[in-house]
Amino acid sequence: MHLPHQRGPLHDLPDDPAAYDAVLTAVAEEALARLTPEGSLEHPAALDDIGDTSLGITALLALAWQRTKDPRLAEAVCRSLRFHLRERVFTEDNPGYPNLRIRGSGLPYARYVLEAGAHPIGDWPSTVWALLQAVNILATADPIVPDEERHELVELAHGYWHWLTEATFFNPQEAGNQAIGCVVGGLMLARHLPTKEAEPVRARAMSLYVDEIRARRVRDRGALLPPEHGGAYDNNYGPISLSFLAQAHRISGEEIFAEDGDALARYIDARLAVGGYDNGGPRYSEQHSGFESVLGLRYFGHRIGADLGRYRGDTRWGRHAVQRDGGIDGHFAFMLVWQIQDTSRWHRAPSKDPVRHQLRAGTVSVAFDDRMTPSLVEAAGTYYLAAAVNRQHGFGPVTDGFLLCRPMGEVRVRDLRTDALTAKLVTKPVVGRDHVLRHVRSLYVTNGTSLWVTVAVERLDGTPYLLAGLPYAKDDGDRVRRTAESDVTSAGGLSLTHPRAEGADHFDARSETTQELEAFALAADPRGYGNPDDGWRHLVASTALEADPAPGAPEDLHVFAVRYGPGGAFTPAFEGSPAELTIRTEAFTARIGDPAGDPRGEPELELRPR
């Protein structure tokens, strides 16, 4: 089975002016055919995320008119705008909405679901989106919108802003993308207000960003990130936050948005596989955005010099939101407007700077979590997740059912690059059930095609093995297919084991389900509201690669050695002691020094190709 949302890299979609003109032409023709006598541009099947959708297509038509001056579009813009002003502006409180600070304010807002009380929780983000659609129309629709309706639209947008920032609690879903989007709406609105009214809106927008968003950032993998639905990052909404930061910087020039966007962009680059695969987050573990991410990935990829466009988006939404029949939906249409207006181009070469939480070369990559344990390994087009044993998750030595990967002290990292090889040495103090402190040294070396992992630790009791990952997915053209197979070789014995027990807390990679679905099944709250990452942490056991100790290791060490990806015979040799271990493989010779031998306690690493 294919993963449903992990599709092609977003930078594969043409983004030159001619390509965007073709997109707008197609949108315009579909919209003109859909326009109802009342002026609605909503998709007939749309039920939720609907309060801003007709207005979103109106904004696209206004942009298309600006570029083509097609008189048919001018009439459609005016008719559809009147529809929104007449039929989609709500001023009476939505029954059951829990986040009001002022009842009966009479301020306008947009509904997530049109029926009163049907699903009021989504009204806050829907109003943000409606505000953004409105300010886009104000920026592009002169002179086709009559002065009276233009004034009404300005007043409506101003009312949306007051509802979002005064009548309700700000950012009630703790969603960074929604919150930054609201700030962008305020900054754009201020451009269309008289100076006396504009300055308070702009000042309020900046204070909300500084005090309510930036001050609440969450640290993950060394970066401070806007919180997303209570977590540090979400692989669906995180890149959307990056797009909002890009637009905030584009329209305001405020350096704070550039700095925070650069930090988020570098974080995404570090966790993203070479092939663009990513998973994890407090809302959707595997769902990916499409066109909503393009602006931020392109804008900040260009700024930091990284190929962020490799991100595998859902290319069914590569240009704009669509319904199941492929018909356009105006939801989030402002993002297409902004990416058309933006002139930055994709940066397609990877960054050459070593990054603590990433190892990358050629088609091989390793993303490391906060504990410097691999969270994702990619080699030969196959993606490996951290495996689970006895409710413990990660990569590392296992003895008596205990996984030695959680650090008890400072984790040291050493990066090294030669003409042919890229390497990272991670030295981690760990404590086992016996309370003995041991140093696990993990060496990752790649030539851009294969990945060699060597793990050394003071000799363990029993019959230890290396938990070497959960083979989960592999590239299949421009799609990603679920898999339980791997191209892994071990110096010792190697087993691919599967859980004997059944149930959601035992993940068998041979089953036709996804990590996302399994994670939601384990989450405390319903799908779409629970935290799948928290759910996945309840996993007891998973399919796992288990590698036995390598033969020929020094007597007082256990050494495990595996190779991910293609290659011939794999018979590594080892010599030395815990203080100085030499590793020889068919591709390289490496020497690992004990941190105790360095004046600053830093790990020593020497590497040369063979």
Side-chain angles (χ1 to χ4, degrees):
M1 60 176 291
H2 286 114
L3 298 181
H5 304 283
Q6 300 265 358
R7 294 177 182 252
L10 290 177
H11 64 200
D12 285 354
L13 293 169
D15 66 340
D16 57 276
Y20 280 134
D21 282 339
V23 171
L24 284 177
T25 297
V27 167
E29 293 303 325
E30 183 179 339
L32 290 171
R34 178 188 297 173
L35 186 64
T36 68
E38 296 78 20
S40 173
L41 289 168
E42 293 165 357
H43 191 287
L47 296 174
D48 53 21
D49 270 323
I50 197 172
D52 68 302
T53 59
S54 183
L55 196 63
I57 299 181
T58 303
L60 290 174
L61 294 181
L63 179 62
W65 175 86
Q66 188 184 65
R67 293 165 76 95
T68 67
K69 300 301 186 288
D70 183 339
R72 300 176 303 161
L73 302 181
E75 180 186 358
V77 167
C78 292
R79 282 179 58 190
S80 58
L81 177 57
R82 285 195 295 268
F83 167 79
H84 183 84
L85 294 173
R86 184 179 67 248
E87 303 290 342
R88 293 294 178 259
V89 177
F90 297 88
T91 56
E92 293 183 359
D93 296 348
N94 199 350
Y97 186 69
N99 299 315
L100 289 176
R101 300 177 64 186
I102 303 172
R103 294 196 177 276
S105 68
L107 290 168
Y109 65 95
R111 284 187 178 173
Y112 177 75
V113 174
L114 296 179
E115 182 184 352
H119 194 71
I121 196 69
D123 289 354
W124 200 87
S126 289
T127 305
V128 174
W129 312 151
L131 169 62
L132 293 171
Q133 316 284 24
V135 292
N136 274 344
I137 294 171
L138 290 172
T140 57
D142 276 345
I144 57 176
V145 174
D147 288 345
E148 182 178 345
E149 287 171 358
R150 177 181 174 80
H151 176 74
E152 188 175 351
L153 184 59
V154 171
E155 289 298 307
L156 173 63
H158 205 177
Y160 283 154
W161 173 255
H162 285 302
W163 188 86
L164 290 165
T165 60
E166 297 169 17
T168 72
F169 289 95
F170 181 77
N171 190 21
Q173 295 183 20
E174 297 183 47
N177 77 96
Q178 298 172 11
I180 304 171
C182 183
V183 167
V184 171
L187 294 173
M188 295 184 70
L189 170 64
R191 293 177 159 191
H192 303 285
L193 296 174
T195 303
K196 186 176 180 180
E197 297 177 359
E199 188 49 40
V201 171
R202 192 181 189 284
R204 176 67 169 150
M206 291 304 300
S207 69
L208 286 170
Y209 183 74
V210 172
D211 299 333
E212 299 295 332
I213 301 172
R214 199 168 198 262
R216 299 174 188 269
R217 288 178 299 171
V218 180
R219 184 176 297 278
D220 186 47
R221 308 185 195 195
L224 284 171
L225 309 170
E228 189 53 65
H229 288 284
Y233 172 83
D234 184 283
N235 69 345
N236 180 32
Y237 293 111
I240 297 176
S241 284
L242 192 65
S243 288
F244 283 125
L245 286 169
Q247 180 66 1
H249 185 242
R250 286 183 66 239
I251 63 171
S252 72
E254 294 285 351
E255 193 60 24
I256 192 171
F257 299 121
E259 292 173 359
D260 293 353
D262 287 350
L264 177 54
R266 290 191 179 97
Y267 171 88
I268 293 174
D269 184 42
R271 68 174 289 145
L272 199 60
V274 170
Y277 177 85
D278 185 22
N279 80 304
R283 283 295 293 270
Y284 295 110
S285 287
E286 289 178 330
Q287 284 202 38
H288 273 48
S289 49
F291 75 100
E292 313 101 309
S293 300
V294 167
L295 175 64
L297 295 170
R298 191 174 67 194
Y299 188 86
F300 283 105
H302 181 80
R303 278 184 55 91
I304 69 171
D307 55 337
L308 297 184
R310 70 188 190 275
Y311 176 93
R312 280 188 182 270
D314 191 333
T315 49
R316 294 170 301 183
W317 283 40
R319 301 299 193 183
H320 47 68
V322 296
Q323 287 287 333
R324 290 174 183 245
D325 64 358
I328 185 173
D329 187 311
H331 180 53
F332 251 67
F334 49 82
M335 282 294 188
L336 178 57
V337 173
W338 298 341
Q339 63 174 276
I340 292 174
Q341 294 170 336
D342 177 47
T343 58
S344 59
R345 300 274 67 89
W346 288 113
H347 183 94
R348 296 184 177 275
S351 172
K352 297 296 184 182
D353 297 332
V355 177
R356 179 178 174 89
H357 295 278
Q358 178 196 60
L359 174 72
R360 178 183 176 188
T363 59
V364 172
S365 57
V366 184
F368 296 87
D369 64 16
D370 253 344
R371 306 178 303 184
M372 286 307 296
T373 296
S375 61
L376 178 64
V377 171
E378 172 192 21
T382 299
Y383 303 99
Y384 303 84
L385 306 179
V389 57
N390 293 340
R391 301 183 185 274
Q392 305 161 93
H393 299 205
F395 287 70
V398 177
T399 177
D400 191 26
F402 191 85
L403 174 61
L404 298 171
C405 76
R406 294 170 296 280
M408 182 64 70
E410 191 67 24
V411 179
R412 312 266 187 161
V413 178
R414 180 74 178 271
D415 288 282
L416 190 62
R417 185 187 294 269
T418 71
D419 290 340
L421 300 169
T422 303
K424 186 183 294 285
L425 174 63
V426 177
T427 300
K428 186 183 299 187
V430 299
V431 174
R433 283 202 177 100
D434 57 6
H435 291 206
V436 173
L437 182 70
R438 296 177 173 86
H439 287 84
V440 176
R441 288 173 291 168
S442 303
L443 175 64
Y444 305 85
V445 181
T446 180
N447 60 1
T449 302
S450 296
L451 172 70
W452 289 262
V453 178
T454 307
V455 178
V457 63
E458 292 90 341
R459 196 158 192 87
L460 301 166
D461 295 331
T463 55
Y465 63 89
L466 179 72
L467 193 66
L470 157 64
Y472 177 69
K474 62 189 299 184
D475 291 338
D476 184 16
D478 62 352
R479 298 291 300 276
V480 179
R481 181 182 294 277
R482 281 275 286 104
T483 190
E485 300 176 351
S486 63
D487 182 6
V488 178
T489 309
S490 173
L494 181 68
S495 303
L496 181 64
T497 64
H498 305 285
R500 295 180 180 178
E502 296 182 355
D505 56 358
H506 290 75
F507 185 78
D508 191 326
R510 299 169 297 181
S511 64
E512 290 197 2
T513 189
T514 64
Q515 189 264 356
E516 176 188 347
L517 294 176
E518 202 87 348
F520 268 120
L522 293 168
D525 296 307
R527 176 173 169 76
Y529 301 92
N531 184 336
D533 276 5
D534 279 348
W536 189 250
R537 293 186 187 103
H538 292 295
L539 196 68
V540 174
S542 73
T543 292
L545 286 162
E546 300 178 358
D548 295 336
E555 184 176 345
D556 44 4
L557 286 177
H558 265 126
V559 179
F560 307 88
V562 295
R563 182 185 63 207
Y564 300 80
F570 182 52
T571 55
F574 314 95
E575 60 184 49
S577 65
E580 186 173 299
L581 177 66
T582 299
I583 305 159
R584 292 187 175 87
T585 73
E586 73 281 12
F588 62 87
T589 297
R591 186 183 70 84
I592 300 174
D594 192 323
D598 181 84
R600 295 178 301 164
E602 295 297 328
E604 296 181 357
L605 174 62
E606 294 179 4
L607 179 70
R608 64 178 184 273
R610 293 191 66 180

